[in-house]
Amino acid sequence: MDFIKKHYEKVLLGAVLLLATGAVAALPFLISNEKAALEEQRAAILKRPVKPLTNLDLTISETVVKNLETPLGADFSLPHNVFNPVQWQKGADGRLLKLAKGNEIGPEAAVVTKTTPLYLILSLDSVGPSTTGAPSGYLIGVEKQASTSANARRKRQTFASLDTKKDDFTLREVKGPPENPTELIVELADTGERVALSKEKPFKRVDGYLADVRYDPDKKNYTNRRVDDSLVFAGETYKIVAITQNEVVVSHTLTGKKFTIRTKAENSPS
């Protein structure tokens, strides 16, 4: 006992060293066991049977994509007034006009009441004097009713002989007796078409139209209007750019926007 009391620090140190030595000696066995356990876990995970994937239900996703590809189709134009408050405008006669649909004034409110065809007319007016038994030529009347020039619309006469080129035509053939032909065949300068004309039957071709347009908001009637003439709707000026048998196309002089005025009140911008 006296020995232990005198040397207890050495006894404790020896016990600690002994335990430490045992722990160090047991460490390789512990590591080996841990490696074996980890290897078993790894093998269990890697060798686990894999279940085949089931068919994925993409119905919801496909529906969303289809809806995104389809245009919304919302129409907020007139006559819807969510973003288009109803306007009122005073007409030329002082009446208040309700602009509920947007076509109560302007070109959309105009209507074509009549169109009149304008012709190119070629007529055989007379046979030229005879010099050597045959006439020297033929006096042909030319009337261009659709011309933009007032002077060109008046009938003028041109003396023509065979194969002599004129401004509007070339005489190509004389049928019947030269001094009293039954027909003249002329080639038109603008189209190259060959047409027939005689004293009894002039050649006629529609080259344009006159138009009568009614504009009810201002109680106005525009008669005998031609291409390049101007029309005034709701204080705005429009220039006629084309006239057909049933339509008049006008262009706003400031913006250049075109509108089609028809024989019925279903006009539309173009």
Side-chain angles (χ1 to χ4, degrees), residues 6-223:
K6 291 179 180 180
H7 303 282
Y8 73 91
E9 295 93 346
K10 296 179 180 180
V11 174
L12 288 176
L13 180 58
V16 170
L17 291 175
L18 183 62
L19 292 174
T21 303
V24 171
L27 190 59
F29 299 100
L30 293 175
I31 292 174
S32 177
N33 292 336
E34 188 65 26
K35 284 184 176 180
L38 291 175
E39 187 63 28
E40 289 179 1
Q41 291 180 7
R42 176 176 176 276
I45 294 173
L46 294 178
K47 295 179 180 179
R48 182 184 301 171
V50 179
K51 295 181 180 180
L53 293 175
T54 58
N55 292 331
L56 297 177
D57 185 5
L58 301 177
T59 304
I60 296 177
S61 300
E62 291 174 350
T63 302
V64 171
V65 172
K66 187 175 181 180
N67 291 336
L68 292 175
E69 292 176 349
T70 304
L72 180 59
D75 184 7
F76 296 108
S77 61
L78 293 173
H80 299 288
N81 301 119
V82 177
F83 302 105
N84 305 281
V86 175
Q87 300 181 34
W88 291 80
Q89 183 166 326
K90 183 179 289 186
D93 56 357
R95 294 183 301 112
L96 288 176
L97 301 175
K98 182 181 179 180
L99 310 183
K101 296 181 179 179
N103 59 358
E104 291 84 358
I105 61 172
E108 296 93 339
V111 61
V112 177
T113 57
K114 186 180 76 170
T115 57
T116 304
L118 298 172
Y119 295 97
L120 167 67
I121 303 176
L122 302 179
S123 60
L124 173 57
D125 291 350
S126 65
V127 178
S130 177
T131 55
T132 58
S136 56
Y138 302 89
L139 194 63
I140 297 177
V142 180
E143 189 175 350
K144 302 168 73 173
Q145 298 177 351
S147 175
T148 56
S149 170
N151 291 330
R153 296 172 201 159
R154 301 188 184 95
K155 181 178 178 179
R156 57 184 175 84
Q157 292 179 319
T158 300
F159 194 76
S161 56
L162 277 174
D163 296 325
T164 301
K165 187 176 181 180
K166 300 296 180 179
D167 290 340
D168 302 301
F169 64 89
T170 302
L171 178 59
R172 293 301 188 189
E173 183 181 354
V174 178
K175 292 187 176 182
E179 68 280 1
N180 187 25
T182 57
E183 277 186 342
L184 298 183
I185 305 299
V186 300
E187 181 179 297
L188 301 179
D190 54 358
T191 64
E193 179 187 6
R194 294 194 176 190
V195 299
L197 57 101
S198 65
K199 290 182 178 179
E200 296 76 19
K201 189 177 181 181
F203 168 74
K204 296 177 70 175
R205 181 187 74 186
V206 177
D207 271 3
Y209 292 89
L210 292 176
D212 292 354
V213 178
R214 186 179 74 245
Y215 184 62
D216 288 335
D218 290 344
K219 306 297 183 183
K220 287 186 178 181
N221 287 289
Y222 299 94
T223 58

